[in-house]
Amino acid sequence: MCAIAGVWAFSGGHAVRETVERMNELQHRRGPDGRGIRVFESQGLALGHCRLSILDPTECGAQPMVSECGRYWITFNGEIFNFLEVREELKAAGCVFRTDTDTEVILAAFRQWGEACAKRFNGMWAFAIWDQSEERLFLCRDRFGVKPLHYVHRPGEFFAFASQANVFGLLERCGGLDEEMLAVCLRDPFLLEGIGRTIFREVRQLSAGTMAWVTRKDFREWRWWSTRDEVAAEHVPEYSEAVDRLRELLEDSCRLRLRSDVPIATALSGGLDSSSVYSTLMHLFRGGATVERAHGNSRTAFSCSLPGTPLDESEAAKQVAAFAGGTVRLVPAEFPHLPEWVEETTRALDFVYVTPAIMAQTYGAMKASGFTVSLDGHGVDEMAFGYGHLVGLALRDAKQANDSTRAADLKETVDAMTPAWVRAMRTRDLQEQESPPSEFRRFANYIRSGLRYRSNQIFGWPPLDDPKDPWLRAYGGGMPPSAEELPTGLTNSDAVLFREFHYRTLPTLLRNYDRASMLNGIEIRMPFMDFRIVRFLFALPQTYKLGGGFTKRILRDAMSGRIPEAVLRNRVKTGWNAPMVDWFSGPLRSMILDHVHSRSFLQSTIWNGRTVRDAVLLNDRTGGWTWSKCCRFWPFLNAHLLGTAPRPASVG
């Protein structure tokens, strides 16, 4: 829930109240139910909050909130799902509570246990606590970075933080696009989120699973959570026992995430992961499970419908809802004014990605129907080999180990995961590559040579003309530096899986869905991101997760009998993405051509505008758009739209 903000001018003299009020204004869509601000004039500090009311929606839950002792002030974004259990423990220790919020539980826990309180929480969060007695600021982010926490630190001048990266343009000499980081992101849109960087000047992120103390003289950040250390202490059961354990963990995770004083919906794509979440919820309801603080309206699913495109999974979603005894509302991806919607949505977000944020429409439909929370299925792919390239790496490991039986199994799996339309696209691309001068090769070369910056000059990665350059793959790219050592004894594919979860794909997707949902005032809860499930799955051997012709093997077996067999055994990986090939050749064609011919696009200092324009014209002229080509071009247009968005007037 919510958006948080704060500015601390170390020497005073800064208009902290005005700045934080403007930050609140720019972030209000994350928290449309109320705004709050607390100013500490003598310290030069202001804390801000925009509220999305979910627990105790009365004024008692307003923030910034002060502790019962009056020493600590908090501004908090997120949810502590086990707050009732922590609250009872604190009551036994003598703590007194005035509200029914999880926010007050954080304050009491911090007072009771200090920094160690984070390890007692099961949830997602980013919060800042001001210690009035010591005049220092404590920051904390959840284990896996579900909730954002951006900051700018100028030693000797000020420290500022916020939920959105694009609000720091309010500060002088800060917040404009960082050309080097933007060039890195254009080369590979999955790199920055997992290493604490952003596309904005001076704007950093508190890393997932870390906390920090800020004083006038110092900023100190350290890791409080280590998946590696937690996995080392986890027991690995026999397979059948592991299946039962995963089912139990998912049920309890869903039970905790049903705690809400407002209606909850489910984003149901029709794939295995979201179907598992929704079916588990309905199983709990049918079984009469006790869920404290659950809202009665929590049985409706929403599904994006993309009729006439290969990305449409609405029929599967209807099957799942009917099988579970629930209700699904289809949200047709119909946009009477698609170009305007794409431009507005892209400019409202603070990231560069490979496709437009089509999921924002579904969350908007949820909000319009009276829902405030969505339960989603994110996280499983990055823990249980849900992507074809991960299965391909496991196949390579099997071949290197001369394990022909496993190699044959994995070869069948990766082949079955590829949709027919993707196979057709790859066949076409390969045919073009084999007949030079090929349109495909010319397009790839245009895009690769379109960047004025070279990423190897920034982070030491291979130059763009390297034959193994990740731009030759739609979702490729080198792994970012790891801030955490890998668990011991991993194969190459297991190591990549670990990094995909902690540093690459998942952090990027968590960011995308957080922004797209909160843009519409919807909070996403992710049962698979419960730390108990993460710890458990990463402790299991690869064969539990990938084998018998299937990815996510253990989840499929755990859900047997709870979702339709056709969904349970479907191996095709679709994903929730915009139908870009159709859009680029149809309703977005004029918009794209207008932008690539604009002066600001052609005169960009980050990319060679004429080179990229020529690549687009080549595809437009030949009807050559494919999914991979769209993914290569969209980040440029995405960045262009951000760069031409109105910049807020700075506050001195």
Side-chain angles (χ1 to χ4, degrees):
M1 65 175 185
C2 314
I4 63 175
V7 176
W8 185 5
F10 299 140
S11 301
H14 189 88
V16 292
R17 175 185 287 275
E18 291 82 356
T19 303
V20 173
E21 285 177 344
R22 290 287 307 282
M23 284 178 161
N24 278 352
E25 181 181 341
L26 292 176
Q27 298 185 124
H28 78 280
R29 294 177 72 169
R30 294 184 66 93
D33 300 329
R35 301 184 198 178
I37 189 167
R38 175 71 182 184
V39 181
F40 304 87
E41 295 284 358
S42 60
Q43 288 85 17
L45 171 73
L47 301 177
H49 190 262
C50 294
R51 187 181 185 195
L52 183 63
S53 299
I54 294 175
L55 293 174
D56 193 349
T58 70
E59 280 303 306
C60 293
Q63 298 183 45
M65 182 183 289
V66 65
S67 63
E68 192 235 346
C69 65
R71 175 175 174 176
Y72 305 108
W73 284 83
I74 187 173
T75 181
F76 160 52
N77 170 32
E79 300 286 351
I80 307 301
F81 302 119
N82 67 332
F83 76 102
L84 293 178
E85 289 79 6
V86 177
R87 177 183 171 122
E88 289 305 309
E89 188 176 359
L90 289 166
K91 278 185 175 181
C95 295
V96 177
F97 292 90
R98 302 158 296 165
T99 76
D100 289 325
T101 67
D102 54 345
T103 308
E104 190 180 17
V105 170
I106 296 176
L107 281 169
F110 183 75
R111 182 185 178 192
Q112 183 73 20
W113 300 305
E115 303 159 357
C117 68
K119 290 195 174 182
R120 296 176 181 263
F121 299 152
N122 185 338
M124 54 183 189
W125 67 84
F127 62 76
I129 295 178
W130 172 244
D131 182 343
Q132 292 193 98
S133 298
E134 299 290 335
E135 293 194 3
R136 57 180 185 164
L137 190 67
F138 178 69
L139 304 173
C140 186
R141 195 173 181 201
D142 64 68
R143 293 171 177 83
F144 311 116
V146 177
K147 284 298 165 184
L149 185 49
H150 302 91
Y151 69 88
V152 171
H153 181 215
R154 283 191 193 156
E157 294 187 43
F158 70 84
F159 181 86
F161 65 90
S163 295
Q164 292 181 193
N166 54 8
V167 305
F168 293 98
L170 291 168
L171 304 172
E172 283 193 84
R173 300 177 286 113
C174 182
L177 291 175
D178 183 321
E179 292 194 353
E180 288 188 339
M181 291 301 102
L182 188 56
V184 170
C185 195
L186 289 173
R187 178 181 186 263
D188 187 341
F190 289 86
L191 283 177
L192 295 187
E193 196 66 26
I195 58 174
R197 302 298 292 270
T198 75
I199 59 174
F200 298 96
R201 275 199 311 271
E202 294 189 61
V203 182
R204 302 290 188 267
Q205 298 185 69
L206 196 70
S207 297
T210 67
M211 52 181 58
W213 279 107
V214 185
T215 67
R216 287 185 175 86
K217 296 182 179 180
D218 187 35
F219 173 85
R220 183 171 61 91
E221 177 183 359
W222 70 98
R223 178 170 294 280
W224 67 269
W225 169 264
S226 167
T227 303
R228 176 202 62 196
D229 294 344
E230 295 287 331
V231 165
E234 187 77 11
H235 168 66
V236 179
E238 295 295 326
Y239 183 73
S240 60
E241 183 184 343
V243 170
D244 294 339
R245 177 62 176 155
L246 177 58
R247 188 187 304 113
E248 293 167 359
L249 286 172
L250 181 58
E251 288 177 2
D252 195 57
S253 177
C254 287
R255 180 185 64 83
L256 289 178
R257 283 157 181 78
L258 280 171
R259 290 173 171 173
S260 171
D261 296 329
V262 297
I264 295 178
T266 301
L268 178 60
S269 70
L272 175 67
D273 307 342
S274 61
S275 297
S276 297
V277 169
Y278 185 66
S279 298
T280 298
L281 296 181
M282 298 305 296
H283 174 79
L284 292 175
F285 293 140
R286 288 195 306 271
T290 301
V291 182
E292 306 93 333
R293 293 285 290 275
H295 194 278
N297 187 2
S298 302
R299 305 187 183 207
T300 302
F302 286 76
S303 182
C304 178
S305 173
L306 294 158
T309 76
L311 299 171
D312 185 47
E313 293 184 283
S314 58
E315 285 302 315
K318 289 192 290 185
Q319 290 178 31
V320 171
F323 193 89
T327 302
V328 63
R329 298 185 188 178
L330 298 184
V331 183
E334 298 172 350
F335 303 87
H337 307 287
L338 180 63
E340 292 82 0
W341 183 86
V342 167
E343 290 196 30
E344 178 186 355
T345 302
T346 303
R347 287 192 171 112
L349 301 171
D350 58 5
F351 61 76
V352 171
Y353 189 55
V354 295
T355 73
I358 191 174
M359 59 280 202
Q361 186 212 29
T362 300
Y363 295 118
M366 286 185 187
K367 193 68 175 181
S369 299
F371 293 90
T372 305
V373 178
S374 175
L375 264 65
D376 289 17
H378 309 298
V380 187
D381 286 326
E382 295 80 11
M383 289 188 281
F385 290 89
Y387 300 116
H389 72 280
L390 295 175
V391 183
L393 290 173
L395 172 59
R396 182 187 300 172
D397 287 344
K399 289 180 176 179
Q400 290 177 348
N402 294 318
D403 188 341
S404 58
T405 301
R406 180 155 179 79
D409 178 34
L410 296 177
K411 177 66 166 60
E412 177 194 351
T413 304
V414 74
D415 288 345
M417 292 178 68
T418 309
W421 67 274
V422 173
R423 287 198 296 269
M425 177 201 73
R426 290 177 178 171
T427 299
R428 176 180 171 180
D429 284 348
L430 288 171
Q431 289 173 346
E432 289 180 350
Q433 290 184 70
E434 292 169 357
S435 55
S438 72
E439 302 290 358
F440 178 88
R441 186 177 298 277
R442 289 170 61 192
F443 179 79
N445 288 338
Y446 271 136
I447 292 295
R448 289 168 58 220
S449 63
L451 285 173
R452 297 184 183 278
Y453 285 82
R454 291 294 184 262
S455 298
N456 62 307
Q457 298 173 352
I458 304 169
F459 287 142
W461 289 315
L464 288 177
D465 56 358
D466 189 290
K468 297 181 181 179
D469 181 71
W471 276 84
L472 295 177
R473 302 195 310 274
Y475 293 104
M479 288 297 166
S482 174
E484 178 184 44
E485 292 181 19
L486 296 171
T488 59
L490 296 184
T491 63
N492 177 61
S493 53
D494 285 320
V496 171
L497 183 77
F498 191 89
R499 292 192 180 105
E500 289 280 359
F501 182 92
H502 291 91
Y503 299 107
R504 185 173 166 75
T505 301
L506 184 62
T508 303
L509 296 180
L510 293 178
R511 175 203 66 194
N512 294 355
Y513 280 91
D514 171 80
R515 306 305 193 274
S517 61
M518 295 299 283
L519 185 66
N520 294 284
I522 291 287
E523 173 188 275
I524 294 180
R525 298 178 176 182
M526 307 174 190
F528 287 112
M529 296 298 295
D530 188 303
F531 74 93
R532 298 170 299 172
I533 292 179
V534 174
R535 181 176 61 195
F536 178 69
L537 285 178
F538 272 113
L540 299 179
Q542 186 182 111
T543 53
Y544 283 24
K545 297 177 280 189
L546 178 60
F550 291 95
T551 64
K552 297 178 277 193
R553 174 192 174 197
I554 187 172
L555 178 60
R556 296 176 195 271
D557 289 341
M559 291 296 105
S560 180
R562 293 192 180 179
I563 63 179
E565 193 69 15
V567 175
L568 193 69
R569 300 303 170 191
N570 177 36
R571 295 188 288 186
V572 175
K573 180 67 178 175
T574 301
W576 193 0
N577 292 299
M580 292 196 296
V581 175
D582 296 326
W583 283 5
F584 280 31
S585 303
L588 292 186
R589 179 175 179 269
S590 295
M591 182 199 84
I592 290 172
L593 294 178
D594 287 345
H595 279 295
V596 298
H597 281 98
S598 68
R599 177 176 297 180
S600 56
F601 190 94
L602 292 173
Q603 296 181 356
S604 171
T605 57
I606 305 171
W607 58 80
N608 186 319
R610 295 183 183 279
T611 298
V612 180
R613 179 202 61 188
D614 290 345
V616 171
L617 293 179
L618 173 67
N619 268 323
D620 183 70
R621 184 174 65 252
T622 62
W625 286 118
T626 63
W627 178 259
S628 60
K629 293 178 184 178
C630 292
C631 290
R632 291 188 184 98
F633 166 66
W634 172 256
F636 287 88
L637 185 56
N638 187 160
H640 171 69
L641 293 173
L642 288 182
T644 55
R647 180 184 167 96
S650 63
V651 179

